[in-house]
Amino acid sequence: MKSYLDIVQKILDNGFRKANRTGVDALTIAGAMFEHDMAEGFPLLTTKKVPFQMVRSELEFFIRGITDKEWLKEQKNSIWNEWCSPDIVPYGNDEATKAKMMSERELGPIYGWQWRNFGARYTAYNTPPEGQSCDQLQKLVQTLKTDPDDRRMIVSAWNPCDLHRMALPPCHYAFQVTVIDGKLNLLWNQRSVDAALGLPFNIASYGCLLHLLAKEACLKEGKLIGFLGDVHIYINHINTISLQMIRQPRALPRIKTDNFKSIFDWHYNDTIVEDYNPHPAIKFEIAV
């Protein structure tokens, strides 16, 4: 995907080294835009292998509004292992605190909770929401089916009242759907972008969500667009991603979902990618 590679190259060429809360400096640029036409293939990076099983199981985790880290672990998904709700363990990047954070299961009112229960009072991962709430995802799907020309189909994970209770405030904090000429387009907003490790996952996750919403509404798949804010490469990723950049991109895979009934009944194993032939995986250390 040229759009992704162009973003990485821009950071390597023009990024300013700055400190951040993780304690690991990063080369950073202000603002970038990712754009991909789904007709060109499913946007799963080919210059390194991206574990799509982890991408799609995390997406199901969000769609279902789950906030229990153990659910992901049961799916052999380690994406959220390092974090927990600050209600349980206040954030810190020293080794003792990181170990405590990893041992807890409570993530707080993160992405999926906000997608499905915005405005409700959050108590715990195993407790139902309290008070009135808005199921933003259900509302979006209903609008998509009844009024696809609507320009207000937006889902937000950014709830300022709950940020202090989240394991991690949303990096990708909102997405919008717009239908043009019978094609469903998805546009997401992201405040903080780890270009080496996180962005390939974000692209594939929203690409999969676009695919599912298009199936839900019987529409063709259009464009996937990301509006990116603080876009960075951690300094301990620079040498490795520079090696990745010299790899020749390969043909993109195709995405396929069997037995689809509804996005709300979807299980991540229903969706696969076909003809995925990436270069070998590359390990990047995560900055907690």
Side-chain angles (χ1 to χ4, degrees), residues 172-201:
H172 44 100
Y173 59 87
F175 69 89
Q176 177 180 356
V177 169
T178 183
V179 177
I180 301 172
D181 192 26
K183 295 180 181 179
L184 185 145
N185 309 282
L186 189 149
L187 309 88
W188 89 90
N189 293 270
Q190 188 158 342
R191 64 170 179 87
S192 179
V193 186
D194 176 351
L197 184 58
L199 184 54
F201 273 77

Side-chain angles (χ1 to χ4, degrees), residues 43-247:
L44 199 59
L45 201 63
T46 62
T47 49
K48 70 169 184 178
K49 183 177 181 180
V50 177
F52 188 54
Q53 183 273 343
M54 293 177 70
V55 173
R56 54 198 166 100
S57 56
E58 185 194 37
L59 179 59
E60 182 183 345
F61 177 75
F62 292 160
I63 290 171
R64 291 175 60 179
I66 301 170
T67 60
D68 181 6
K69 190 193 301 182
E70 289 300 314
W71 186 91
L72 286 171
K73 288 184 175 180
E74 290 170 3
Q75 320 310 316
K76 297 180 172 57
N77 189 327
S78 59
I79 290 177
W80 283 88
N81 280 9
E82 283 80 7
W83 288 277
C84 79
S85 169
D87 284 353
I88 310 298
V89 181
Y91 170 79
N93 56 27
D94 60 282
E95 293 305 315
T97 302
K98 287 196 288 187
K100 291 178 182 178
M101 290 164 61
M102 185 172 285
S103 68
E104 297 292 341
R105 66 193 298 173
E106 174 64 68
L107 292 172
I110 60 169
Y111 297 95
W113 169 269
Q114 304 297 338
W115 288 11
R116 306 302 309 274
N117 302 285
F118 197 96
R121 183 178 183 276
Y122 184 85
T123 304
Y125 71 87
N126 57 353
T127 303
E130 296 181 2
Q132 290 187 333
S133 67
C134 176
D135 187 336
Q136 297 182 88
L137 187 59
Q138 180 69 58
K139 186 176 181 181
L140 182 146
V141 168
Q142 181 180 2
T143 304
L144 188 59
K145 291 179 176 180
T146 59
D147 186 12
D149 292 325
D150 189 279
R151 296 180 294 193
R152 302 173 183 176
M153 291 184 283
I154 296 173
V155 171
S156 175
W158 192 266
N159 185 341
C161 296
D162 284 346
L163 293 179
H164 66 289
R165 303 190 64 197
M166 299 180 188
L168 189 66
C171 293
H172 44 100
Y173 59 87
F175 69 89
Q176 177 180 356
V177 169
T178 183
V179 177
I180 301 172
D181 192 26
K183 295 180 181 179
L184 185 145
N185 309 282
L186 189 149
L187 309 88
W188 89 90
N189 293 270
Q190 188 158 342
R191 64 170 179 87
S192 179
V193 186
D194 176 351
L197 184 58
L199 184 54
F201 273 77
N202 304 137
I203 292 168
S205 181
Y206 279 111
C208 187
L209 181 59
L210 186 159
H211 165 77
L212 296 174
L213 289 171
K215 290 185 76 67
E216 182 82 33
C218 299
L219 294 165
K220 295 179 180 179
E221 297 178 22
K223 289 188 176 181
L224 176 67
I225 297 172
F227 301 110
L228 313 177
D230 186 304
V231 193
H232 49 266
I233 297 173
Y234 289 103
I235 56 170
N236 59 343
H237 294 168
I238 291 172
N239 290 340
T240 310
I241 202 169
S242 296
L243 293 175
Q244 181 186 334
M245 290 292 288
I246 67 176
R247 292 176 171 180

